[in-house]
Amino acid sequence: MSRIADPKAKIMLLRAAEEVFAEKGLAGAKVEEIARRAGVSKGAFYLHFESKETALKQLLESFLARCHSYFAPPAAYPGLPEDPADLLDFSLARDVQIYEFLWQNRAFLRILPSCQGNTDYLVIAFRAEIDATTREWVDYWRREGIFRPEVDADLAATLIGGAYNELSTRMLLAETRPQLEDWLRFALETFFRAFGTPEMVAAVDFRNQRVSQGIGGRVADALSNQMMDRSRATRDHKERRHI
Amino acid sequence: MSRIADPKAKIMLLRAAEEVFAEKGLAGAKVEEIARRAGVSKGAFYLHFESKETALKQLLESFLARCHSYFAPPAAYPGLPEDPADLLDFSLARDVQIYEFLWQNRAFLRILPSCQGNTDYLVIAFRAEIDATTREWVDYWRREGIFRPEVDADLAATLIGGAYNELSTRMLLAETRPQLEDWLRFALETFFRAFGTPEMVAAVDFRNQRVSQGIGGRVADALSNQMMDRSRATRDHKERRHI
DNA sequence: CCCTTTGATGACCGGCGGGTCAACTATAGG
DNA sequence: CCTATAGTTGACCCGCCGGTCATCAAAGGG
């Protein structure tokens, strides 16, 4: 009995909404345009969403949740490498993973700045979360003797967060995928040089020599092959270090 | 003959508009509210401005022009000190001056993120200009042998710009004036350590020792005196114009 | 083939707020 | 005091768009 709902409708609407929100922002986006791009009527939009804000909130929550799994604190990586060079490789591989994800979702990233009104608390909370996670990393690195003890964790996290955020902004302006690896290596070295102990800075220099001699990072390969299996990846680092 | 126009009206409207735009953004700001806060009628608003956008544009142009004079390229400072410690002092004093200005105009800074629609090109152009100026400084420092030659000027400028931008964002969240000097010293040292030649990094360390021994910077004092003179001069100039 | 049920449509409603203008008011000159 | 002139007002107009609902269409059961 009765008619069956189009199962693609909601997905198409979400996709269209993502597009239009990214182009126009919350206020500028028109429900009619979202519906038209999804190939359905305006009324159909309201079969799936209570309001325009609801749709944006739904999109945001889903995206931020996916982001969340990428911006993990150090506690989420039980077996972090201790060797400075391996640590650099690991961090770079992790950054590349994150920015690859951001690049894939660049359409979505464009929505965030436009969240100025009723939904901005979501973005603000997310930024605060990122900032706290960055701070955790700085604290961790300081405890591990990688960063100098006198480095102010709050300020360091602010600078790091701002710099990386600017990189993502710059990525959004690019038409083709930038050399994220180069960008992120540069950023990583910048902050390791700035905040690292003299030993760490020396390790950065040494690693650059090694790289310029054509010897690639070992950990980076391991991590990109086994993205999800962190414990195995770190076990690999340790084993190889003894070779 | 005839009635004389209220000379305060436009100024009051601009002030009120600044307030409301800062609180609500372009779209959220209502002409009626601006007029009410200025103590005039809605119609009076349109005696002075063609439209809501015009008012915002006028405010923006004026503010960005004032900003412009602060973000000067190295060419604007003919006699830059060559001694590393003095250079640090000079740069810090300059940064403090800029951020002091930004702090004084923090209400205005809050408007910028909300410029998403018809006026965003102004902000975008301004950001690009800041970025270019930062790049000029990086290039200059590299030419002067203060930054290492292999430092990528574009990426360095991006990171620096992002980090300093984040500092200003964080400043906007503060209720009382933060210790800008500490923040900016931290940021300055961060990037001088990251990009500086080994000699420069040594100078940073040496300077910290000197400062911790209570010996203040000489150049900083000289510059801050000079800068106070300059801001006092412009303030006087404005007061005279308003009389 | 009709009836019921439920998905889908788009014309329509209503409020919001940018912008206008007829009416009003203050001032100066005669 | 009167009149001309120009500043000031706020009620009103109107387009836009979020949200609704009478109406139609599709699917399945009897």
Side-chain angles (χ1 to χ4, degrees):
Chain A
M1 71 171 77
S2 84
R3 187 174 168 184
I4 292 167
D6 182 358
K8 290 173 302 195
K10 183 158 187 178
I11 293 167
M12 297 302 285
L13 277 167
L14 280 170
R15 271 195 205 159
E18 188 176 320
E19 260 185 46
V20 179
F21 281 137
E23 287 172 24
K24 313 284 180 72
L26 173 59
K30 280 139 206 163
V31 173
E32 195 128 24
E33 186 173 357
I34 294 173
R36 194 175 55 243
R37 289 208 204 179
V40 296
S41 70
K42 188 175 170 181
F45 179 91
Y46 287 96
L47 291 177
H48 296 281
F49 305 101
E50 201 180 313
S51 68
K52 196 167 70 156
E53 276 77 15
T54 307
L56 176 58
K57 199 176 159 190
Q58 205 162 313
L59 279 169
L60 269 183
E61 281 171 350
S62 138
F63 176 70
L64 295 183
R66 275 185 297 155
C67 271
H68 186 78
S69 67
Y70 279 88
F71 292 97
Y77 302 86
L80 283 173
E82 290 179 14
D83 176 66
D86 286 346
L87 187 65
L88 278 167
D89 286 338
F90 169 84
S91 302
L92 180 59
R94 178 173 167 275
D95 288 349
V96 169
Q97 248 184 42
I98 294 173
Y99 275 74
E100 186 61 48
F101 167 75
L102 295 179
W103 170 254
Q104 297 300 334
N105 292 275
R106 59 193 179 280
F108 212 106
L109 276 186
R110 282 183 237 270
I111 301 183
L112 298 190
S114 77
C115 297
Q116 290 279 340
N118 319 336
T119 44
D120 59 354
Y121 73 96
L122 275 171
V123 179
I124 288 171
F126 179 67
R127 284 203 199 284
E129 202 178 280
I130 298 280
D131 205 61
T133 303
T134 307
R135 214 206 118 119
E136 275 189 61
W137 277 98
V138 173
D139 276 333
Y140 169 79
W141 282 325
R142 221 171 42 173
R143 277 201 312 276
E144 294 290 313
I146 289 159
F147 279 6
R148 284 175 286 115
E150 73 270 22
V151 168
D152 182 303
D154 264 334
L155 282 176
T158 300
L159 297 189
I160 293 172
Y164 275 84
N165 184 49
E166 188 73 14
L167 282 184
S168 76
T169 304
R170 188 166 158 181
M171 184 174 74
L172 291 188
L173 299 175
E175 296 181 4
T176 60
R177 181 183 178 283
Q179 282 304 316
L180 293 178
E181 295 78 8
D182 293 345
W183 287 15
L184 293 167
R185 188 194 320 279
F186 187 86
L188 195 67
E189 288 192 7
T190 294
F191 291 110
F192 269 71
R193 270 182 196 280
F195 303 134
T197 57
E199 297 74 33
M200 199 62 212
V201 175
V204 170
D205 284 332
F206 177 71
R207 178 163 157 288
N208 281 346
Q209 285 173 21
R210 202 181 55 176
V211 168
S212 69
Q213 285 166 15
I215 308 172
R218 300 155 290 168
V219 181
D221 296 338
L223 191 77
S224 57
N225 288 338
Q226 286 292 334
M227 270 176 44
M228 291 306 159
D229 191 348
R230 285 159 190 156
S231 59
R232 192 193 142 188
T234 44
R235 186 167 7 100
D236 282 356
H237 316 157
K238 285 183 180 173
E239 283 171 6
R240 292 193 202 177
R241 273 182 60 209
H242 294 294
I243 292 173
Chain B
M1 75 173 68
S2 82
R3 189 173 167 185
I4 292 167
D6 182 357
K8 291 175 301 196
K10 183 159 188 177
I11 292 165
M12 295 303 283
L13 277 167
L14 280 171
R15 272 194 204 160
E18 189 176 319
E19 260 185 47
V20 179
F21 282 137
E23 286 172 25
K24 313 284 180 74
L26 172 60
K30 280 138 207 165
V31 173
E32 195 127 25
E33 186 173 357
I34 295 173
R36 194 176 54 242
R37 290 207 202 178
V40 296
S41 70
K42 189 173 168 181
F45 179 92
Y46 288 95
L47 290 177
H48 297 281
F49 305 101
E50 201 180 311
S51 68
K52 196 168 69 157
E53 275 76 15
T54 308
L56 176 58
K57 198 176 159 188
Q58 206 161 311
L59 280 169
L60 268 182
E61 279 170 351
S62 138
F63 176 69
L64 295 183
R66 275 185 296 154
C67 270
H68 186 78
S69 68
Y70 280 87
F71 293 96
Y77 301 88
L80 282 175
E82 290 182 15
D83 176 65
D86 288 345
L87 188 64
L88 279 167
D89 287 337
F90 168 84
S91 302
L92 181 60
R94 179 173 167 275
D95 288 349
V96 169
Q97 205 202 354
I98 293 174
Y99 275 74
E100 186 59 49
F101 167 75
L102 295 179
W103 170 253
Q104 297 299 334
N105 292 275
R106 58 193 179 280
F108 212 105
L109 275 186
R110 283 182 236 272
I111 301 182
L112 298 190
S114 77
C115 297
Q116 289 280 339
N118 318 334
T119 44
D120 59 354
Y121 72 97
L122 275 170
V123 180
I124 288 172
F126 179 67
R127 284 203 198 285
E129 203 177 278
I130 299 279
D131 205 61
T133 304
T134 307
R135 213 204 118 117
E136 274 189 61
W137 279 98
V138 173
D139 276 333
Y140 169 79
W141 283 326
R142 223 172 39 174
R143 276 200 312 276
E144 295 290 314
I146 289 159
F147 280 5
R148 284 173 285 116
E150 74 269 22
V151 169
D152 182 302
D154 264 332
L155 281 176
T158 299
L159 297 190
I160 293 172
Y164 276 83
N165 184 49
E166 188 74 14
L167 281 183
S168 76
T169 304
R170 189 166 157 178
M171 184 174 74
L172 291 189
L173 299 175
E175 296 182 3
T176 60
R177 181 182 178 283
Q179 282 304 317
L180 293 178
E181 295 78 7
D182 292 344
W183 287 15
L184 293 166
R185 189 195 318 280
F186 187 87
L188 195 67
E189 288 192 7
T190 294
F191 290 111
F192 270 70
R193 271 182 197 279
F195 303 135
T197 56
E199 296 75 33
M200 198 61 212
V201 175
V204 170
D205 285 331
F206 177 72
R207 177 163 158 286
N208 282 346
Q209 286 173 20
R210 201 182 58 179
V211 167
S212 69
Q213 287 165 16
I215 309 170
R218 299 154 290 173
V219 179
D221 295 339
L223 190 80
S224 63
N225 287 340
Q226 177 195 335
M227 284 167 171
M228 273 162 60
D229 287 346
R230 195 175 99 174
S231 61
R232 196 175 56 216
T234 48
R235 197 170 49 242
D236 288 347
H237 180 61
K238 276 182 197 167
E239 281 170 8
R240 258 181 269 126
R241 274 186 56 210
H242 289 175
I243 290 171

